[in-house]
Amino acid sequence: AQSVTQLDSQVPVFEEAPVELRCNYSSSVSVYLFWYVQYPNQGLQLLLKYLSGSTLVKGINGFEAEFNKSQTSFHLRKPSVHISDTAEYFCAVSLMNRDDKIIFGKGTRLHILP
Amino acid sequence: EAGVTQFPSHSVIEKGQTVTLRCDPISGHDNLYWYRRVMGKEIKFLLHFVKESKQDESGMPNNRFLAERTGGTYSTLKVQPAELEDSGVYFCASSLRLAGQQFFGPGTRLTVL
């Protein structure tokens, strides 16, 4: 079975500071990796995805993530956060070439401090 | 182009009552998915439609939940009778093709008292 672990349920960070949201996954087969974001009162929005190729993936709003197969990690980073980045972030996986279901982590709430 | 829409946005019902949630996917998307997030836990897959057929319903928690997608357009998820543990946010998503990007709706927050 596959699982996704987001180590931090909440992360406070000052505006314009860098941030890293951690994600580790467990799977016996190859997976696709995703980060989704949910802004207040909105639906889930795809931030970025890793399917294959370069392990450094760039997404929207200045976010990027790096796939590390040996550590089974897919941490999300942004060099300088803005108040508008206040949201909940979800790491997720889906099985390559198999069923379509997405398996999510529990989410990390990013609080931007002024 | 309109995104995935869900109705209602919130629903508060008493234990034992029936509730029906609706999802309208993006026009032309054959694949429709239901997910649920119970408070404090991760978002979990419930089921997947391809057009009007159930492709995978392995995540449906029990037979109190009934999902339909008549005509292959919008879908409904009925909970009957609702229990306290059914409270949570129900998300719908749609995709154009299998293994394609899933676009999520804003969710329906269900509270069972």
mmCIF file of all heavy atoms in Angstrom, chain B residues 76-110:
data_model
loop_
_atom_site.group_PDB
_atom_site.id
_atom_site.type_symbol
_atom_site.label_atom_id
_atom_site.label_comp_id
_atom_site.label_asym_id
_atom_site.label_seq_id
_atom_site.Cartn_x
_atom_site.Cartn_y
_atom_site.Cartn_z
ATOM 1 N N THR B 76 -24.172 12.494 -8.298
ATOM 2 C CA THR B 76 -24.688 12.710 -6.947
ATOM 3 C C THR B 76 -24.099 11.675 -6.010
ATOM 4 O O THR B 76 -23.799 10.546 -6.422
ATOM 5 C CB THR B 76 -26.225 12.631 -6.905
ATOM 6 O OG1 THR B 76 -26.637 11.354 -7.391
ATOM 7 C CG2 THR B 76 -26.853 13.743 -7.728
ATOM 8 N N LEU B 77 -23.929 12.081 -4.767
ATOM 9 C CA LEU B 77 -23.475 11.188 -3.714
ATOM 10 C C LEU B 77 -24.484 11.310 -2.574
ATOM 11 O O LEU B 77 -24.623 12.370 -1.977
ATOM 12 C CB LEU B 77 -22.079 11.575 -3.228
ATOM 13 C CG LEU B 77 -21.471 10.723 -2.117
ATOM 14 C CD1 LEU B 77 -21.246 9.295 -2.597
ATOM 15 C CD2 LEU B 77 -20.145 11.325 -1.639
ATOM 16 N N LYS B 78 -25.188 10.220 -2.345
ATOM 17 C CA LYS B 78 -26.230 10.223 -1.314
ATOM 18 C C LYS B 78 -25.736 9.471 -0.094
ATOM 19 O O LYS B 78 -25.138 8.385 -0.218
ATOM 20 C CB LYS B 78 -27.504 9.566 -1.844
ATOM 21 C CG LYS B 78 -28.651 9.549 -0.835
ATOM 22 C CD LYS B 78 -29.812 8.683 -1.286
ATOM 23 C CE LYS B 78 -30.614 9.296 -2.387
ATOM 24 N NZ LYS B 78 -31.841 8.530 -2.681
ATOM 25 N N VAL B 79 -25.994 10.033 1.061
ATOM 26 C CA VAL B 79 -25.669 9.376 2.323
ATOM 27 C C VAL B 79 -26.981 9.137 3.058
ATOM 28 O O VAL B 79 -27.713 10.066 3.364
ATOM 29 C CB VAL B 79 -24.733 10.246 3.188
ATOM 30 C CG1 VAL B 79 -24.311 9.461 4.436
ATOM 31 C CG2 VAL B 79 -23.516 10.685 2.390
ATOM 32 N N GLN B 80 -27.285 7.845 3.305
ATOM 33 C CA GLN B 80 -28.574 7.503 3.882
ATOM 34 C C GLN B 80 -28.484 6.199 4.681
ATOM 35 O O GLN B 80 -28.207 5.143 4.079
ATOM 36 C CB GLN B 80 -29.603 7.340 2.758
ATOM 37 C CG GLN B 80 -31.005 6.956 3.225
ATOM 38 C CD GLN B 80 -31.980 6.748 2.061
ATOM 39 O OE1 GLN B 80 -31.572 6.376 0.947
ATOM 40 N NE2 GLN B 80 -33.246 6.990 2.319
ATOM 41 N N PRO B 81 -28.730 6.228 5.980
ATOM 42 C CA PRO B 81 -28.881 7.410 6.828
ATOM 43 C C PRO B 81 -27.511 7.943 7.253
ATOM 44 O O PRO B 81 -26.552 7.184 7.390
ATOM 45 C CB PRO B 81 -29.622 6.844 8.043
ATOM 46 C CG PRO B 81 -29.093 5.442 8.151
ATOM 47 C CD PRO B 81 -28.868 4.980 6.737
ATOM 48 N N ALA B 82 -27.420 9.233 7.445
ATOM 49 C CA ALA B 82 -26.150 9.839 7.841
ATOM 50 C C ALA B 82 -25.816 9.531 9.293
ATOM 51 O O ALA B 82 -26.700 9.470 10.154
ATOM 52 C CB ALA B 82 -26.206 11.347 7.633
ATOM 53 N N GLU B 83 -24.529 9.316 9.536
ATOM 54 C CA GLU B 83 -24.020 9.085 10.880
ATOM 55 C C GLU B 83 -23.038 10.207 11.232
ATOM 56 O O GLU B 83 -22.548 10.915 10.356
ATOM 57 C CB GLU B 83 -23.321 7.730 10.961
ATOM 58 C CG GLU B 83 -24.224 6.546 10.685
ATOM 59 C CD GLU B 83 -25.212 6.280 11.811
ATOM 60 O OE1 GLU B 83 -25.011 6.825 12.933
ATOM 61 O OE2 GLU B 83 -26.194 5.553 11.579
ATOM 62 N N LEU B 84 -22.740 10.325 12.513
ATOM 63 C CA LEU B 84 -21.857 11.402 12.983
ATOM 64 C C LEU B 84 -20.500 11.364 12.282
ATOM 65 O O LEU B 84 -19.951 12.406 11.922
ATOM 66 C CB LEU B 84 -21.657 11.310 14.498
ATOM 67 C CG LEU B 84 -22.896 11.455 15.367
ATOM 68 C CD1 LEU B 84 -22.525 11.305 16.840
ATOM 69 C CD2 LEU B 84 -23.593 12.781 15.124
ATOM 70 N N GLU B 85 -19.991 10.139 12.072
ATOM 71 C CA GLU B 85 -18.653 10.015 11.492
ATOM 72 C C GLU B 85 -18.606 10.355 10.009
ATOM 73 O O GLU B 85 -17.514 10.355 9.413
ATOM 74 C CB GLU B 85 -18.111 8.593 11.707
ATOM 75 C CG GLU B 85 -18.894 7.499 11.009
ATOM 76 C CD GLU B 85 -19.930 6.842 11.913
ATOM 77 O OE1 GLU B 85 -20.368 7.492 12.881
ATOM 78 O OE2 GLU B 85 -20.287 5.689 11.622
ATOM 79 N N ASP B 86 -19.756 10.653 9.415
ATOM 80 C CA ASP B 86 -19.777 11.055 8.011
ATOM 81 C C ASP B 86 -19.434 12.536 7.832
ATOM 82 O O ASP B 86 -19.241 13.003 6.711
ATOM 83 C CB ASP B 86 -21.155 10.787 7.391
ATOM 84 C CG ASP B 86 -21.546 9.326 7.458
ATOM 85 O OD1 ASP B 86 -20.636 8.458 7.472
ATOM 86 O OD2 ASP B 86 -22.762 9.043 7.512
ATOM 87 N N SER B 87 -19.360 13.252 8.921
ATOM 88 C CA SER B 87 -19.013 14.677 8.847
ATOM 89 C C SER B 87 -17.639 14.854 8.223
ATOM 90 O O SER B 87 -16.705 14.097 8.517
ATOM 91 C CB SER B 87 -19.016 15.302 10.241
ATOM 92 O OG SER B 87 -20.308 15.299 10.792
ATOM 93 N N GLY B 88 -17.534 15.878 7.375
ATOM 94 C CA GLY B 88 -16.262 16.145 6.726
ATOM 95 C C GLY B 88 -16.486 16.971 5.473
ATOM 96 O O GLY B 88 -17.586 17.486 5.241
ATOM 97 N N VAL B 89 -15.454 17.087 4.686
ATOM 98 C CA VAL B 89 -15.551 17.811 3.420
ATOM 99 C C VAL B 89 -15.478 16.803 2.277
ATOM 100 O O VAL B 89 -14.550 15.990 2.229
ATOM 101 C CB VAL B 89 -14.430 18.854 3.266
ATOM 102 C CG1 VAL B 89 -14.577 19.594 1.942
ATOM 103 C CG2 VAL B 89 -14.456 19.843 4.432
ATOM 104 N N TYR B 90 -16.442 16.876 1.393
ATOM 105 C CA TYR B 90 -16.524 15.972 0.250
ATOM 106 C C TYR B 90 -16.099 16.728 -1.003
ATOM 107 O O TYR B 90 -16.711 17.728 -1.373
ATOM 108 C CB TYR B 90 -17.947 15.423 0.103
ATOM 109 C CG TYR B 90 -18.294 14.462 1.214
ATOM 110 C CD1 TYR B 90 -18.588 14.923 2.500
ATOM 111 C CD2 TYR B 90 -18.299 13.085 0.999
ATOM 112 C CE1 TYR B 90 -18.883 14.054 3.537
ATOM 113 C CE2 TYR B 90 -18.590 12.197 2.026
ATOM 114 C CZ TYR B 90 -18.874 12.690 3.295
ATOM 115 O OH TYR B 90 -19.159 11.811 4.315
ATOM 116 N N PHE B 91 -15.039 16.228 -1.616
ATOM 117 C CA PHE B 91 -14.509 16.857 -2.820
ATOM 118 C C PHE B 91 -14.875 16.034 -4.045
ATOM 119 O O PHE B 91 -14.883 14.805 -4.010
ATOM 120 C CB PHE B 91 -12.985 16.957 -2.759
ATOM 121 C CG PHE B 91 -12.460 17.912 -1.742
ATOM 122 C CD1 PHE B 91 -11.980 17.454 -0.525
ATOM 123 C CD2 PHE B 91 -12.416 19.273 -1.996
ATOM 124 C CE1 PHE B 91 -11.475 18.325 0.420
ATOM 125 C CE2 PHE B 91 -11.919 20.154 -1.060
ATOM 126 C CZ PHE B 91 -11.451 19.682 0.155
ATOM 127 N N CYS B 92 -15.106 16.738 -5.116
ATOM 128 C CA CYS B 92 -15.311 16.108 -6.410
ATOM 129 C C CYS B 92 -14.189 16.601 -7.335
ATOM 130 O O CYS B 92 -13.711 17.728 -7.195
ATOM 131 C CB CYS B 92 -16.669 16.516 -6.970
ATOM 132 S SG CYS B 92 -17.030 15.883 -8.608
ATOM 133 N N ALA B 93 -13.760 15.750 -8.235
ATOM 134 C CA ALA B 93 -12.749 16.125 -9.218
ATOM 135 C C ALA B 93 -13.118 15.522 -10.559
ATOM 136 O O ALA B 93 -13.839 14.528 -10.622
ATOM 137 C CB ALA B 93 -11.367 15.646 -8.778
ATOM 138 N N SER B 94 -12.616 16.124 -11.611
ATOM 139 C CA SER B 94 -12.839 15.538 -12.939
ATOM 140 C C SER B 94 -11.565 15.641 -13.767
ATOM 141 O O SER B 94 -10.710 16.497 -13.508
ATOM 142 C CB SER B 94 -14.007 16.221 -13.668
ATOM 143 O OG SER B 94 -13.686 17.536 -14.083
ATOM 144 N N SER B 95 -11.444 14.734 -14.722
ATOM 145 C CA SER B 95 -10.300 14.775 -15.632
ATOM 146 C C SER B 95 -10.761 14.392 -17.023
ATOM 147 O O SER B 95 -11.748 13.682 -17.204
ATOM 148 C CB SER B 95 -9.180 13.856 -15.151
ATOM 149 O OG SER B 95 -9.544 12.499 -15.265
ATOM 150 N N LEU B 96 -10.012 14.886 -17.985
ATOM 151 C CA LEU B 96 -10.379 14.645 -19.379
ATOM 152 C C LEU B 96 -10.120 13.194 -19.770
ATOM 153 O O LEU B 96 -10.905 12.569 -20.479
ATOM 154 C CB LEU B 96 -9.592 15.597 -20.281
ATOM 155 C CG LEU B 96 -9.904 15.568 -21.775
ATOM 156 C CD1 LEU B 96 -11.365 15.912 -22.026
ATOM 157 C CD2 LEU B 96 -9.004 16.534 -22.519
ATOM 158 N N ARG B 97 -8.993 12.646 -19.280
ATOM 159 C CA ARG B 97 -8.642 11.280 -19.662
ATOM 160 C C ARG B 97 -8.081 10.566 -18.443
ATOM 161 O O ARG B 97 -7.743 11.188 -17.428
ATOM 162 C CB ARG B 97 -7.601 11.307 -20.773
ATOM 163 C CG ARG B 97 -6.305 11.954 -20.367
ATOM 164 C CD ARG B 97 -5.292 12.027 -21.491
ATOM 165 N NE ARG B 97 -3.988 12.457 -21.013
ATOM 166 C CZ ARG B 97 -3.643 13.700 -20.741
ATOM 167 N NH1 ARG B 97 -4.526 14.674 -20.902
ATOM 168 N NH2 ARG B 97 -2.443 13.992 -20.315
ATOM 169 N N LEU B 98 -7.984 9.268 -18.548
ATOM 170 C CA LEU B 98 -7.395 8.486 -17.481
ATOM 171 C C LEU B 98 -5.957 8.919 -17.258
ATOM 172 O O LEU B 98 -5.231 9.173 -18.212
ATOM 173 C CB LEU B 98 -7.432 6.999 -17.832
ATOM 174 C CG LEU B 98 -8.798 6.319 -17.715
ATOM 175 C CD1 LEU B 98 -8.708 4.890 -18.225
ATOM 176 C CD2 LEU B 98 -9.292 6.358 -16.287
ATOM 177 N N ALA B 99 -5.583 9.033 -16.007
ATOM 178 C CA ALA B 99 -4.234 9.461 -15.607
ATOM 179 C C ALA B 99 -3.967 10.911 -15.996
ATOM 180 O O ALA B 99 -2.830 11.379 -15.916
ATOM 181 C CB ALA B 99 -3.144 8.558 -16.178
ATOM 182 N N GLY B 100 -4.985 11.624 -16.385
ATOM 183 C CA GLY B 100 -4.845 13.043 -16.664
ATOM 184 C C GLY B 100 -4.972 13.867 -15.394
ATOM 185 O O GLY B 100 -5.339 13.349 -14.345
ATOM 186 N N GLN B 101 -4.692 15.144 -15.498
ATOM 187 C CA GLN B 101 -4.775 16.005 -14.320
ATOM 188 C C GLN B 101 -6.206 16.060 -13.817
ATOM 189 O O GLN B 101 -7.142 16.253 -14.590
ATOM 190 C CB GLN B 101 -4.296 17.410 -14.650
ATOM 191 C CG GLN B 101 -4.330 18.357 -13.454
ATOM 192 C CD GLN B 101 -3.831 19.735 -13.777
ATOM 193 O OE1 GLN B 101 -3.061 19.916 -14.710
ATOM 194 N NE2 GLN B 101 -4.262 20.720 -13.008
ATOM 195 N N GLN B 102 -6.352 15.902 -12.515
ATOM 196 C CA GLN B 102 -7.654 15.990 -11.897
ATOM 197 C C GLN B 102 -7.868 17.424 -11.416
ATOM 198 O O GLN B 102 -7.025 17.977 -10.713
ATOM 199 C CB GLN B 102 -7.769 14.999 -10.737
ATOM 200 C CG GLN B 102 -7.718 13.544 -11.190
ATOM 201 C CD GLN B 102 -7.905 12.554 -10.062
ATOM 202 O OE1 GLN B 102 -8.521 12.843 -9.034
ATOM 203 N NE2 GLN B 102 -7.371 11.360 -10.244
ATOM 204 N N PHE B 103 -9.002 17.986 -11.783
ATOM 205 C CA PHE B 103 -9.377 19.335 -11.372
ATOM 206 C C PHE B 103 -10.432 19.202 -10.276
ATOM 207 O O PHE B 103 -11.454 18.543 -10.466
ATOM 208 C CB PHE B 103 -9.929 20.133 -12.558
ATOM 209 C CG PHE B 103 -8.914 20.396 -13.624
ATOM 210 C CD1 PHE B 103 -8.678 19.457 -14.626
ATOM 211 C CD2 PHE B 103 -8.170 21.567 -13.623
ATOM 212 C CE1 PHE B 103 -7.727 19.688 -15.611
ATOM 213 C CE2 PHE B 103 -7.223 21.811 -14.609
ATOM 214 C CZ PHE B 103 -7.002 20.865 -15.604
ATOM 215 N N PHE B 104 -10.172 19.865 -9.160
ATOM 216 C CA PHE B 104 -11.025 19.703 -7.998
ATOM 217 C C PHE B 104 -12.033 20.827 -7.848
ATOM 218 O O PHE B 104 -11.756 21.988 -8.175
ATOM 219 C CB PHE B 104 -10.169 19.635 -6.730
ATOM 220 C CG PHE B 104 -9.498 18.307 -6.532
ATOM 221 C CD1 PHE B 104 -8.340 17.989 -7.215
ATOM 222 C CD2 PHE B 104 -10.040 17.364 -5.651
ATOM 223 C CE1 PHE B 104 -7.720 16.757 -7.041
ATOM 224 C CE2 PHE B 104 -9.426 16.140 -5.472
ATOM 225 C CZ PHE B 104 -8.266 15.832 -6.169
ATOM 226 N N GLY B 105 -13.180 20.477 -7.306
ATOM 227 C CA GLY B 105 -14.171 21.460 -6.922
ATOM 228 C C GLY B 105 -13.880 22.010 -5.541
ATOM 229 O O GLY B 105 -12.952 21.550 -4.875
ATOM 230 N N PRO B 106 -14.682 22.979 -5.074
ATOM 231 C CA PRO B 106 -14.442 23.619 -3.789
ATOM 232 C C PRO B 106 -14.838 22.764 -2.598
ATOM 233 O O PRO B 106 -14.490 23.083 -1.464
ATOM 234 C CB PRO B 106 -15.309 24.881 -3.860
ATOM 235 C CG PRO B 106 -16.398 24.505 -4.806
ATOM 236 C CD PRO B 106 -15.793 23.593 -5.804
ATOM 237 N N GLY B 107 -15.557 21.689 -2.849
ATOM 238 C CA GLY B 107 -15.954 20.806 -1.767
ATOM 239 C C GLY B 107 -17.294 21.166 -1.161
ATOM 240 O O GLY B 107 -17.772 22.301 -1.267
ATOM 241 N N THR B 108 -17.908 20.169 -0.533
ATOM 242 C CA THR B 108 -19.128 20.357 0.262
ATOM 243 C C THR B 108 -18.788 19.977 1.695
ATOM 244 O O THR B 108 -18.328 18.867 1.954
ATOM 245 C CB THR B 108 -20.276 19.457 -0.231
ATOM 246 O OG1 THR B 108 -20.704 19.877 -1.519
ATOM 247 C CG2 THR B 108 -21.457 19.530 0.740
ATOM 248 N N ARG B 109 -19.020 20.920 2.599
ATOM 249 C CA ARG B 109 -18.768 20.632 4.011
ATOM 250 C C ARG B 109 -20.037 20.062 4.620
ATOM 251 O O ARG B 109 -21.056 20.740 4.689
ATOM 252 C CB ARG B 109 -18.333 21.893 4.755
ATOM 253 C CG ARG B 109 -18.025 21.643 6.235
ATOM 254 C CD ARG B 109 -17.452 22.887 6.902
ATOM 255 N NE ARG B 109 -16.148 23.237 6.339
ATOM 256 C CZ ARG B 109 -14.997 22.689 6.708
ATOM 257 N NH1 ARG B 109 -14.981 21.751 7.645
ATOM 258 N NH2 ARG B 109 -13.878 23.090 6.155
ATOM 259 N N LEU B 110 -19.978 18.814 5.042
ATOM 260 C CA LEU B 110 -21.129 18.136 5.639
ATOM 261 C C LEU B 110 -20.925 18.021 7.138
ATOM 262 O O LEU B 110 -19.888 17.539 7.589
ATOM 263 C CB LEU B 110 -21.301 16.741 5.029
ATOM 264 C CG LEU B 110 -22.376 15.857 5.659
ATOM 265 C CD1 LEU B 110 -23.755 16.454 5.447
ATOM 266 C CD2 LEU B 110 -22.313 14.446 5.099
#
